[in-house]
C-alpha cells in the first residue's frame, strides 16, 4: 500500500512523514527526487499472538509506503505537473494545518482546515481536468490518423470523465461500467483515489482529537467522498515525545492525554479508507502478514504471494484468527472443525490464516 502526502506548504507533511517512517530528514534529498520515500510497519497485535503459537524463525509484518513531496511550490499550483509523480500512490494523506504558529506563516490566511479541504479538492479536480484534456488531444490525433476502434472507445470514456470533472465531479464518482472503470484506473487520476484527511493539531488540542475534528466540522467523510475519512493528532508533539526515553515518553503522553498514537491512527485510517485487509500465512519458518483489497476471492489472494499459487490453485485451508486463538493451536482447531477447506471463490476475510494448496 502506497500513500502520497498532500498538503499546502508548511502544513506539516515532512514532520508527519518523519513521525510515520522514523526517517531522519533534515534537508531535501540529494538530486532532484520529487519526493522522499519512507516505510512504516503496520502495527498489528495479532502478529504477536500468532508468533507465540507458531514460534517461527522469521516474522514479516505488513508495511505502508509514504511519499513526501519535496518540490512544493506556491499555494496556487493550478497545473498537473506537481502531482505527476505522486499519481502512482494508492491513495493520499492530506495534511491539514490546524496549528497556529506565527513563526510559520500561512499563505492563504489564518488556520482554516475546512477551506484547505475544499482548496485541495479543487486543485485535484483541476489537475485531473488538465491531464484528461491532454490525453484527449493526443487521442484525437491518433483517432483521425489510425481510426483504431480501441482509441475511439477510450475517447468516449474519457469524454465522460471530462464532462464530470467540468461539473466538479471526481473521477471516482463518474458513472462507469466495471471494465471501463478498470481502464480509467490505469490513468491514475488523482480524484479516482481516496484521501484520508489528517488534521495537524496544536499542542493544546493534541489530547482530544475528536474535539479538534468537531471544532472544524471535519468528523464526517464517506466512502464515496474524496476525503473518505479524517483523523487528528499533533505530528510535531508526537515526534518530540518519541525522541525521549521510553519511560519519559510514556509520562509525557499521559500528561498530554494522548491515548491513540498518531502513527496508529494514520495507518488504521488509511487502511480503512483504502479498504485494505490482512491475511496471515503461519508456520515454523515464518509468520507473515499480507495485505489485500477487502472482498478479494481466495484464488486472487493467492496471487498476492506468488502468481504460481494463483495459477495452480487447488484449495485454501482457512481458519479465522479468533477461532485459532480460541483453540490455542492448529491441531486443536482441526479437532474442533474450525479449520476448513475453501475453494477458489471464497471471499477472504480480514484476519484469515491461510495455507494455500496448489500445483505447478
Ligand atoms: N507549532 C507547530 N508547528 C508545527 C507542527 N507541525 C509542524 N510544524 C512546523 O511547521 C513547519 C513546517 O513543517 P513541515 O513538516 O516542514 O511542513 P511541510 O508541509 O513539509 O512543508 P513544505 O514541504 O515546505 O510544504 C516546521 O517549522 C515545523 O516544525 C505542529 O504541530 N505545531
Ligand atoms: Mg516538506
Amino acid at each position: 500500500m502506497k500513500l502520497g502526502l498532500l498538503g499546502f506548504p508548511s502544513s506539516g507533511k515532512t514532520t508527519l512523514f518523519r513521525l510515520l517512517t522514523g526517517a531522519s530528514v533534515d534537508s531535501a534529498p540529494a538530486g532532484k527526487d520529487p519526493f522522499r520515500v519512507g516505510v512504516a510497519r503496520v502495527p498489528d497485535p495479532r502478529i504477536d499472538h500468532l508468533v507465540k503459537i507458531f514460534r517461527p524463525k522469521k516474522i514479516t509484518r505488513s508495511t505502508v509506503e509514504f511519499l513526501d513531496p519535496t518540490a512544493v511550490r506556491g499555494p496556487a499550483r493550478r497545473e498537473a505537473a506537481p502531482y505527476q509523480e505522486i499519481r502512482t500512490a494508492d491513495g493520499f494523506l492530506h495534511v491539514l494545518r490546524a496549528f497556529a504558529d506565527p513563526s510559520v506563516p500561512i499563505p492563504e490566511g489564518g488556520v482554516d482546515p475546512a477551506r484547505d479541504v475544499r482548496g485541495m479538492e479543487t486543485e485535484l479536480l483541476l489537475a485531473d481536468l488538465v491531464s484528461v484534456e491532454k490525453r484527449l488531444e493526443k487521442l484525437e490525433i491518433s483517432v483521425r490518423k489510425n481510426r483504431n476502434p480501441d482509441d475511439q472507445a477510450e475517447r468516449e470514456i474519457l469524454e465522460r470523465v471530462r464532462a464530470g470533472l467540468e461539473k466538479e465531479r471526481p473521477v471516482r464518482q463518474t458513472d462507469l461500467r466495471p471494465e471501463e472503470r478498470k481502464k480509467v484506473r490505469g490513468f491514475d487520476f488523482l480524484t479516482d483515489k481516496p484521501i484520508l484527511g489528517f488534521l495537524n493539531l496544536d499542542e493544546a488540542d493534541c489530547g482530544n482529537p475528536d474535539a479538534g475534528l468537531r471544532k472544524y466540522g471535519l468528523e464526517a467523510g464517506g466512502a464515496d467522498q474524496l476525503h473518505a475519512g479524517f483523523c487528528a493528532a499533533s505530528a510535531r508533539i508526537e515526534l518530540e515525545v518519541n525522541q525521549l526515553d521510553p519511560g519519559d515518553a510514556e509520562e509525557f503522553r499521559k500528561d498530554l492525554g494522548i491515548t491513540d498514537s498518531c502513527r496508529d491512527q494514520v495507518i488504521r485510517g488509511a487502511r480503512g479508507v483504502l479498504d485494505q485487509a490482512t491475511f496471515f500465512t503461519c508456520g515454523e519458518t515464518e509468520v507473515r502478514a499480507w495485505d489485500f483489497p477487502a472482498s478479494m476471492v481466495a484464488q486472487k489472494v493467492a496471487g498476492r504471494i506468488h502468481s504460481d499459487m494463483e495459477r495452480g490453485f487447488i484449495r485454501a485451508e482457512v481458519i479465522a484468527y479468533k477461532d485459532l486463538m480460541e483453540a490455542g493451536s492448529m491441531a486443536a482447531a482441526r479437532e474442533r472443525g474450525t479449520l476448513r477447506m475453501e475453494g477458489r471463490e471464497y471471499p477472504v476475510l480480514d484476519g484469515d490464516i491461510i495455507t494455500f494448496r496448489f500445483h505447478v
Side-chain angles (χ1 to χ4, degrees):
M1 183 165 98
K2 195 157 81 175
L3 281 179
L5 272 79
L6 293 175
F8 292 109
S10 301
S11 48
K13 297 180 292 299
T14 301
T15 309
L16 180 63
F17 175 81
R18 289 175 58 198
L19 174 69
L20 292 168
T21 63
S24 50
V25 273
D26 299 318
S27 54
K32 288 206 201 87
D33 285 345
F35 54 78
R36 322 179 162 85
V37 184
V39 173
R41 274 209 320 224
V42 174
D44 191 339
R46 291 176 299 188
I47 277 266
D48 305 305
H49 294 297
L50 290 170
V51 164
K52 279 187 204 141
I53 291 183
F54 292 93
R55 311 208 163 277
K57 293 194 189 70
K58 192 172 164 208
I59 305 163
T60 309
R61 294 168 196 275
S62 57
T63 54
V64 184
E65 206 170 73
F66 291 96
L67 309 177
D68 177 32
T70 55
V72 182
R73 287 156 226 181
R77 293 159 288 155
R78 300 264 184 262
E79 77 265 49
Y83 299 110
Q84 206 48 49
E85 282 79 12
I86 225 162
R87 279 180 187 282
T88 56
D90 303 306
F92 302 110
L93 179 58
H94 181 194
V95 181
L96 295 154
R97 176 161 168 180
F99 62 89
D101 183 343
S103 69
V104 187
I106 304 178
E108 292 83 4
V111 167
D112 186 350
R115 169 204 63 207
D116 295 343
V117 165
R118 289 191 304 273
M120 183 56 71
E121 292 194 352
T122 306
E123 276 211 12
L124 299 179
L125 287 163
L126 283 169
D128 277 352
L129 194 55
V130 171
S131 41
V132 82
E133 269 165 1
K134 273 203 193 119
R135 180 84 214 165
L136 276 167
E137 263 170 42
K138 276 198 204 127
L139 269 176
E140 209 60 63
I141 296 168
S142 87
V143 164
R144 229 177 300 139
K145 252 214 301 245
N146 311 321
R147 306 205 169 272
N148 180 336
D150 285 349
D151 284 349
Q152 292 186 16
E154 187 172 313
R155 180 176 66 179
E156 192 270 323
I157 298 169
L158 289 180
E159 273 168 352
R160 267 151 58 208
V161 168
R162 175 173 65 188
L165 286 165
E166 280 167 348
K167 287 186 208 118
E168 296 188 23
R169 188 181 308 136
V171 174
R172 301 187 70 176
Q173 287 164 21
T174 306
D175 208 4
L176 296 167
R177 286 193 298 270
E179 68 277 12
E180 294 173 335
R181 182 147 296 285
K182 212 158 150 196
K183 187 143 202 124
V184 165
R185 197 151 290 151
F187 292 114
D188 281 326
F189 287 116
L190 298 161
T191 65
D192 200 16
K193 310 196 180 193
I195 304 177
L196 174 68
F198 172 79
L199 194 61
N200 198 9
L201 296 171
D202 244 330
E203 176 172 346
D205 299 326
C206 72
N208 198 342
D210 291 339
L213 290 169
R214 271 199 305 277
K215 182 162 150 189
Y216 298 109
L218 293 180
E219 315 90 306
D224 59 331
Q225 280 164 292
L226 273 188
H227 282 77
F230 291 95
C231 60
S234 169
R236 201 180 67 170
I237 299 294
E238 293 207 33
L239 189 61
E240 285 170 5
V241 170
N242 282 358
Q243 281 153 359
L244 302 170
D245 292 332
D248 291 343
E250 200 47 51
E251 189 90 353
F252 252 91
R253 280 198 200 97
K254 224 190 242 161
D255 286 349
L256 291 163
I258 299 170
T259 48
D260 194 5
S261 82
C262 174
R263 243 177 111 250
D264 288 5
Q265 276 196 72
V266 166
I267 292 174
R268 204 173 55 227
R271 292 167 63 80
V273 301
L274 262 74
D275 222 1
Q276 288 281 308
T278 303
F279 73 93
F280 303 97
T281 49
C282 297
E284 281 165 22
T285 343
E286 191 181 20
V287 162
R288 179 163 182 167
W290 303 83
D291 287 335
F292 68 101
S295 74
M296 210 181 225
V297 297
Q299 185 172 16
K300 275 261 173 291
V301 164
R304 306 293 282 189
I305 302 179
H306 201 285
S307 52
D308 282 348
M309 279 199 183
E310 182 175 345
R311 228 173 314 124
F313 183 95
I314 301 170
R315 63 173 187 273
E317 294 173 17
V318 183
I319 178 165
Y321 171 79
K322 195 173 91 347
D323 291 336
L324 178 59
M325 287 302 129
E326 275 170 22
S329 72
M330 281 300 219
R334 202 168 275 124
E335 267 171 34
R336 289 175 169 216
T338 45
L339 181 71
R340 23 182 245 279
M341 303 297 157
E342 298 284 0
R344 58 188 68 219
E345 293 301 323
Y346 166 68
V348 176
L349 299 174
D350 182 61
D352 277 350
I353 293 143
I354 309 183
T355 308
F356 289 105
R357 301 290 170 205
F358 65 106
H359 59 75
V360 281

